[in-house]
Amino acid sequence: MFTVIGLMFAGMAAGFLLRKRRLGFVHPAITLLIWALLFLLGVEVGGNEAIIRSLHTIGLEALVLTLGGTLGSVTAAWLLWRTLTGGEKRKPSAADGTRPTQGSTLHALRGSLVIVGFFVLGVGCSLTGLLPGHVGSRVSFYALCALMTCVGVSVGNDPQTLKNFRSLNPRLVFLPVATIVGTLAGTALVSLLLSHRSLTDCLAVGSGFGYYSLSSIFITEYKGAETGTVALLANIARELVTLLGAPLLVRWFGRLAPISAGGATTMDTTLPVIAQTAGQELVVVSIFHGFVVDFSVPFLVTLFCSF
């Protein structure tokens, strides 16, 4: 975690030193690295026998918990966004570092469909034996390091970054709280649909906030392999929902929504997508949010598993 964050800050320093030069290659490189990471994630998922075997039995449970927790978090983020903007329905524009949301829903999803294709391709390559599953976890770390460096260069090279940081609303520090409370509220609500799962089991799964590796290990230790697999699937799905749906989340729930949806992943894997859709001036908020939510995962998961 600290390695990739350090690389991002190193990239920011390099971008700042090169701020008088136009680095047109950075944004295409970010896009290619995102595609590569989704492909590698697919390889890793396809190589995990526990996930593949459980898809037909517990996949629906994981999906319900994912949608409930994510919807709760983005609703809380939407309420905070309306509070900060006074109810103004301002859409991000190219002037403040985001890509404008134009056209139909299909147009907004076009980039996401490409990402889905790379993920599915990775799963297929793993299932057919073209690539071993462990390759995904090994190579993805280096791809993530390259991605975070490029994101840092992009932010540091933008002359508006420092001005945007100074103009941030101090109330944005409440975004991690909104994410945690909204996720737990949404998860508790949809737990009513899963009568054979206890409320605390569902809250433990929701408390992963996209941090699927750590949360699933904790839950497997306390609640068993089946619940641990639900946690793994649900939190992988949350990360994918953020990566694939960020443009639509911005459109429907405001610019804080993809940060809240990303949970603990917003300081690393989902940060580039957030920067592209919500705006680079929110990168600092995204990192702060990811750090706080990430820090809360082991405490909240352990708390709910103890009941």
Side-chain angles (χ1 to χ4, degrees), residues 197-216:
R197 295 282 178 193
S198 69
L199 173 61
T200 53
D201 282 358
C202 294
L203 291 175
V205 172
S207 296
F209 303 115
Y211 198 165
Y212 54 84
S213 57
L214 182 63
S215 62
S216 61

Side-chain angles (χ1 to χ4, degrees), residues 179-188 191 197-209 215 218-224 227 231 296-307:
T179 295
I180 293 171
V181 173
T183 297
L184 296 180
T187 301
S191 70
R197 295 282 178 193
S198 69
L199 173 61
T200 53
D201 282 358
C202 294
L203 291 175
V205 172
S207 296
F209 303 115
S215 62
F218 269 96
I219 293 173
T220 299
E221 181 68 23
Y222 286 101
K223 295 291 186 177
T227 309
S296 74
V297 170
F299 297 100
L300 290 175
V301 170
T302 304
L303 173 66
F304 291 121
C305 284
S306 65
F307 289 102

Side-chain angles (χ1 to χ4, degrees), residues 1-279:
M1 178 182 69
F2 293 107
T3 299
V4 294
I5 294 298
L7 286 172
M8 190 195 69
F9 283 117
M12 290 175 63
F16 179 77
L17 293 174
L18 298 172
R19 63 190 181 279
K20 294 183 179 180
R21 299 186 181 183
R22 185 176 179 275
L23 305 178
F25 66 91
V26 176
H27 288 291
I30 290 174
T31 300
L32 290 174
L33 287 167
I34 290 174
W35 291 349
L37 277 168
L38 264 294
F39 173 77
L40 292 170
L41 179 58
V43 172
E44 188 173 353
V45 168
N48 190 314
E49 294 183 5
I51 294 179
I52 299 302
R53 286 198 308 266
S54 303
L55 285 177
H56 67 289
T57 56
I58 64 175
L60 183 59
E61 296 179 27
L63 180 61
V64 169
L65 292 172
T66 297
L67 294 179
T70 305
L71 184 59
S73 68
V74 297
T75 301
W78 175 76
L79 292 173
L80 180 60
W81 175 246
R82 284 184 62 85
T83 300
L84 296 177
T85 60
E88 180 185 1
K89 295 182 178 180
R90 184 175 71 87
K91 292 184 178 181
S93 64
D96 55 20
T98 69
R99 295 183 177 181
T101 53
Q102 301 175 350
S104 64
T105 299
L106 181 61
H107 176 77
L109 277 174
R110 186 168 58 187
S112 297
L113 293 175
V114 174
I115 290 177
V116 169
F118 278 97
F119 175 74
V120 172
L121 180 62
V123 173
C125 288
S126 184
L127 290 176
T128 57
L130 293 177
L131 287 173
H134 60 80
V135 169
S137 59
R138 291 180 179 178
V139 180
S140 60
F141 174 75
Y142 299 104
L144 178 60
C145 289
L147 177 60
M148 298 304 292
T149 302
C150 288
V151 169
V153 171
S154 175
V155 172
N157 195 242
D158 185 354
Q160 294 297 319
T161 299
L162 186 57
K163 295 180 181 178
N164 291 330
F165 175 74
R166 290 174 177 173
S167 65
L168 281 177
N169 193 315
R171 286 178 289 177
L172 286 173
V173 298
F174 292 107
L175 182 57
V177 178
T179 295
I180 293 171
V181 173
T183 297
L184 296 180
T187 301
L189 184 62
V190 298
S191 70
L192 299 175
L193 302 175
L194 306 174
S195 57
H196 60 291
R197 295 282 178 193
S198 69
L199 173 61
T200 53
D201 282 358
C202 294
L203 291 175
V205 172
S207 296
F209 303 115
Y211 198 165
Y212 54 84
S213 57
L214 182 63
S215 62
S216 61
I217 291 171
F218 269 96
I219 293 173
T220 299
E221 181 68 23
Y222 286 101
K223 295 291 186 177
E226 182 178 329
T227 309
T229 304
V230 173
L232 182 63
L233 288 172
N235 286 288
I236 286 177
R238 179 162 183 161
E239 181 177 319
L240 289 175
V241 166
T242 306
L243 290 170
L244 303 179
L248 295 181
L249 291 174
V250 169
R251 175 180 293 183
W252 295 338
F253 295 97
R255 294 170 60 200
L256 299 180
I259 301 177
S260 190
T265 70
T266 60
M267 62 178 177
D268 41 60
T269 53
T270 59
L271 180 60
V273 172
I274 290 168
Q276 288 183 338
T277 57

